[in-house]
Amino acid sequence: GQALSRDLAEARTQQQATARDLAATQAQGQALTRELAEARDRQQATARDLAAAQAQGQAAARDLEARRREAETLAAELAAARTALDAARRDVAALREEAARLDQTVRADRTTIEARLSDIARLSNEIRALTALRDELERRARDALARAEDEARRRQQAEAQGGEFARLSESARAQAALLAQQIEVLRAELARVGAALEAAETATRDRDVQIANLGQRLNAALAQRVEELQSYRSDFFGRLRRVLGDRPEVRIVGDRFVFQSEVLFPAGSAELSEAGQQQIRNIGRVLQDIARQFPPDLNWVLRVDGHADRTPVRGGRFASNWELSSARAIAVAQLLIADGLAPNRVAATAFGDTQPLDERETPDAYARNRRIELRLEPVPVAPPAATQAPPDPRRAAREVLGALACARVTVTEEAGGLRVAGIARRGAEAELRAALQSRAAAGALANLDIRPFGEALCEVVEALRPVPIASGNSALRLQVVGAEPLPPGSLLRTDIVMPDWAGQLALFYIATDGQVVRLAVLDRQAAGARFRLGDPRGAFTGWPVVEPFGTELLVAIASEGPLFQPARPEAEPVRSFAPALATAVETARREGRRLAVQVVPVETGP
């Protein structure tokens, strides 16, 4: 009976546990039901989101297609703009050449005009002086008349002293009469000077009209020559196309026949390949054949333009892209001359990387920009030899130096001829010799002493161009202490002599990596003061020579008053320093403050 009771109790316990398990299972089932409902809700929400995302994707695709069409339109507009820009560049180049020719034509009249202007200035000064003298005499006459009237009144008041006052009155009247005569003489002189001034101004205006008419006639003649040459140019290009074939690397662009450099030259070389020589000889034969049809009075020249890409030249025989493009243009011109084309019918010019056809920074763009361009150009007929003055080598040299970019060069006379000395970018020496040769001045050159520096530093040198190169005591003198190249770790020291006027001194160092370091700014220094900068002293340990090494520039500037306000940073890039320097120079010149500049290349490295 007890066993049965225990079994019954255990059965009840199991029944209760089973009931609890069942309740828990029911609760879990209800929870699962709720979760399932929530999952269905989430699935529906996800489906709605997916539908919305698909709608957004379709809208984005439509927007992308619209943007693609817009990009194609912009690309077409950009191509048209580049074509227009190329045409504008050609027009600007033609206008510059025309301006240079007009400048040569009217240069003979410029001296006469300057003399007339000098006479006008002198006459104006005389007029101002005579006017001042007339005003002074009129004032003295008025004073004399006033004294005479006072004396007359005093004579009436003191008749006892009448005799003395009468004499004084007569004296004043005589002095007034004399002054009146002098005034009349001055007025006549002023009238004469005014008439002379008016005649001079009229002559100057007539001369200006003559120059303007001459320019118009030259423009008309040049336009006529261009029109005459256009038909022959078209024939020349058409026959060249038939001779050379339809090749993508050889094409006609406007009025130019363009060869990619790889067609004529190996990479980085100015030696024509065998295939390139054959191409140039073909061109020479075609041109000589067509030239026989030219009218005798049609003066023309085949211009060979060398162009390079923006990739810096590293190593080899060429220091810059300008030298490489120049050597390639000269090689083509020399071969044409060797094959029978007259030397006066060929001109070689170089543009380096300054006139790219494609502004993109891609290999394809670089390949397009490495090219040789040929174009037929009209040349104005020179005036008869009888009207031309004999060439002046010194004047020609000065004109060439004035047009030389990125340089500070002077020309002086020595026993053996002209001495040209100074600093210039690398490659300028060959350019200078060629320019002097073309101006009949190379034969008078006795010594060419040019210290070269990298083209990356040209911005600073060009900013200093308005400051003339002084000589004698008016010059600022700067010298580097020690033998060059300065080895790594050594100290940069300089000896400086101020010009013959007192002023502030600023010293800057332009490194080959395009960084400008402000070494020193000294307050007012006495005229002709001599001192050394860079020696260690106290806490100052000096200016050590560190990388990068190469040809760098040391720039000293003396100025009446501060050059920069506020002062420049201790270190900055050339691209920010050079514009600020140009503005400071212009401001000082506009305010009449004197400036003296000395730029010295410094060789550093092992």
Side-chain angles (χ1 to χ4, degrees):
Q2 293 178 351
L4 182 59
S5 297
R6 284 194 302 273
D7 293 339
L8 183 58
E10 290 176 359
R12 287 176 178 170
T13 301
Q14 291 178 356
Q15 183 180 11
Q16 292 174 354
T18 300
R20 286 194 299 273
D21 293 340
L22 179 61
T25 301
Q26 290 176 345
Q28 289 178 354
Q30 292 174 354
L32 289 174
T33 300
R34 288 194 299 271
E35 290 178 359
L36 179 60
E38 291 174 356
R40 288 173 178 170
D41 292 340
R42 286 195 297 273
Q43 183 179 11
Q44 293 174 355
T46 302
R48 289 193 297 270
D49 292 342
L50 179 59
Q54 290 174 346
Q56 290 177 354
Q58 293 173 354
R62 290 192 297 270
D63 185 58
L64 180 61
E65 178 63 21
R67 290 183 180 276
R68 185 185 62 78
R69 290 194 297 270
E70 181 181 0
E72 291 175 351
T73 302
L74 290 175
E77 293 176 355
L78 179 60
R82 285 176 174 165
T83 302
L85 178 60
D86 290 339
R89 285 174 173 168
R90 291 193 299 273
D91 292 342
V92 169
L95 288 174
R96 286 176 177 169
E97 293 174 359
E98 181 180 348
R101 291 192 293 269
L102 289 175
D103 182 67
Q104 292 176 356
T105 304
V106 303
R107 189 173 290 122
D109 294 329
R110 186 174 299 165
T111 303
T112 303
I113 294 173
E114 290 176 351
R116 293 293 179 88
L117 292 176
S118 177
D119 292 341
I120 291 173
R122 178 180 55 79
L123 291 173
S124 298
N125 291 333
E126 291 181 2
I127 289 175
R128 285 194 292 270
L130 291 172
T131 301
L133 180 57
R134 182 199 64 188
D135 294 341
E136 175 63 19
L137 291 175
E138 288 179 347
R139 183 189 62 79
R140 290 169 59 185
R142 288 194 299 270
D143 293 345
L145 290 174
R147 287 196 303 273
E149 291 175 356
D150 291 342
E151 289 172 359
R153 283 194 296 272
R154 286 195 295 273
R155 184 187 59 185
Q156 293 174 359
Q157 295 174 359
E159 294 181 358
Q161 301 176 356
E164 181 67 21
F165 279 111
R167 285 193 299 274
L168 291 174
S169 178
E170 289 299 325
S171 175
R173 286 192 178 93
Q175 186 178 4
L178 178 61
L179 289 174
Q181 292 176 359
Q182 292 176 344
I183 289 172
E184 288 301 322
V185 172
L186 280 175
R187 285 175 176 165
E189 180 67 16
L190 282 173
R192 184 189 65 79
V193 173
L197 179 61
E198 184 176 357
E201 290 177 344
T202 301
T204 301
R205 286 194 297 270
D206 293 342
R207 180 68 66 178
D208 291 340
V209 171
Q210 292 175 6
I211 292 174
N213 292 336
L214 177 61
Q216 292 174 358
R217 290 197 299 272
L218 287 174
N219 289 339
L222 181 62
Q224 182 180 1
R225 291 303 184 197
V226 171
E227 184 176 356
E228 290 178 7
L229 192 61
Q230 183 61 42
S231 60
Y232 298 105
R233 177 189 292 156
S234 300
D235 189 18
F236 174 53
F237 285 165
R239 294 179 63 176
L240 275 187
R241 173 61 72 193
R242 290 193 295 272
V243 168
L244 299 175
D246 191 9
R247 304 172 59 182
E249 67 272 20
V250 181
R251 64 191 188 281
I252 297 176
V253 179
D255 61 347
R256 297 161 292 158
F257 208 88
V258 180
F259 289 80
Q260 300 309 132
S261 293
E262 288 76 3
V263 177
L264 305 176
F265 300 98
S269 171
E271 301 293 334
L272 281 162
S273 63
E274 292 185 4
Q277 292 181 28
Q278 187 59 45
Q279 299 279 20
I280 298 303
R281 290 193 173 97
N282 293 340
I283 293 171
R285 283 194 292 271
V286 171
L287 182 57
Q288 291 180 55
D289 185 26
I290 292 179
R292 297 188 185 97
Q293 307 172 26
F294 290 175
D297 61 343
L298 180 58
N299 203 9
W300 59 274
V301 67
L302 178 68
R303 209 175 85 183
V304 183
D305 296 345
H307 297 265
D309 61 28
R310 293 176 180 168
T311 305
V313 174
R314 302 189 184 280
R317 54 176 288 209
F318 302 108
S320 66
N321 281 319
W322 183 89
E323 290 189 32
L324 175 59
S325 64
S326 175
R328 286 178 168 177
I330 292 173
V332 172
Q334 288 176 335
L335 182 56
L336 288 169
I337 293 172
D339 269 21
L341 201 60
N344 65 327
R345 297 302 186 190
V346 185
T349 57
F351 294 92
D353 57 3
T354 62
Q355 294 189 6
L357 292 177
D358 195 329
E359 296 285 354
R360 296 176 300 167
E361 303 290 340
T362 64
D364 290 342
Y366 289 160
R368 289 193 64 203
N369 294 334
R370 295 190 298 270
R371 65 196 189 278
I372 292 290
E373 296 183 353
L374 304 178
R375 66 173 73 192
L376 283 176
E377 294 284 345
V379 179
V381 178
T387 64
Q388 294 180 345
D392 180 358
R394 184 183 177 93
R395 179 179 178 183
R398 290 190 183 280
E399 291 174 353
V400 168
L401 294 177
L404 186 63
C406 192
R408 288 185 68 81
V409 185
T410 59
V411 56
T412 56
E413 292 185 1
E414 293 184 342
L418 302 179
R419 180 177 185 271
V420 179
I423 64 170
R425 58 173 171 78
R426 287 192 181 91
E429 183 172 346
E431 180 182 355
L432 182 58
R433 287 187 184 276
L436 291 174
Q437 183 70 46
S438 67
R439 299 298 300 273
L445 186 63
N447 186 10
L448 185 60
D449 182 13
I450 303 294
R451 292 197 62 184
F453 58 87
E455 194 166 349
L457 312 183
C458 281
E459 290 183 70
V460 175
V461 176
E462 283 296 297
L464 296 171
R465 178 181 285 271
V467 183
I469 301 177
S471 60
N473 293 334
S474 61
L476 172 66
R477 279 168 282 177
L478 171 67
Q479 183 176 0
V480 176
V481 178
E484 298 182 44
L486 300 179
S490 63
L491 296 182
L492 172 66
R493 299 178 299 159
T494 63
D495 285 335
I496 298 176
V497 180
M498 290 290 291
D500 55 1
W501 45 270
Q504 188 187 75
L505 179 77
L507 186 63
F508 299 93
Y509 190 82
I510 321 297
T512 57
D513 61 355
Q515 286 295 310
V516 180
V517 180
R518 189 193 70 205
L519 296 180
V521 175
L522 306 182
D523 291 335
R524 186 178 179 85
Q525 302 295 308
R530 299 169 178 265
F531 48 87
R532 174 171 292 184
L533 294 178
D535 281 340
R537 183 178 304 169
F540 175 63
T541 58
W543 300 314
V545 174
V546 296
E547 291 186 301
F549 302 128
T551 304
E552 306 182 307
L553 293 183
L554 196 60
V555 180
I557 306 174
S559 59
E560 287 185 319
L563 181 64
F564 293 108
Q565 291 180 335
R568 302 302 301 173
E570 291 188 3
E572 60 181 317
V574 165
R575 63 177 179 273
S576 59
F577 175 76
L581 178 60
T583 301
V585 167
E586 176 61 26
T587 300
R589 288 168 56 84
R590 187 173 60 250
E591 295 176 353
R593 292 186 282 119
R594 284 183 289 187
L595 292 174
V597 171
Q598 186 63 273
V599 183
V600 175
V602 181
E603 295 290 341
T604 63

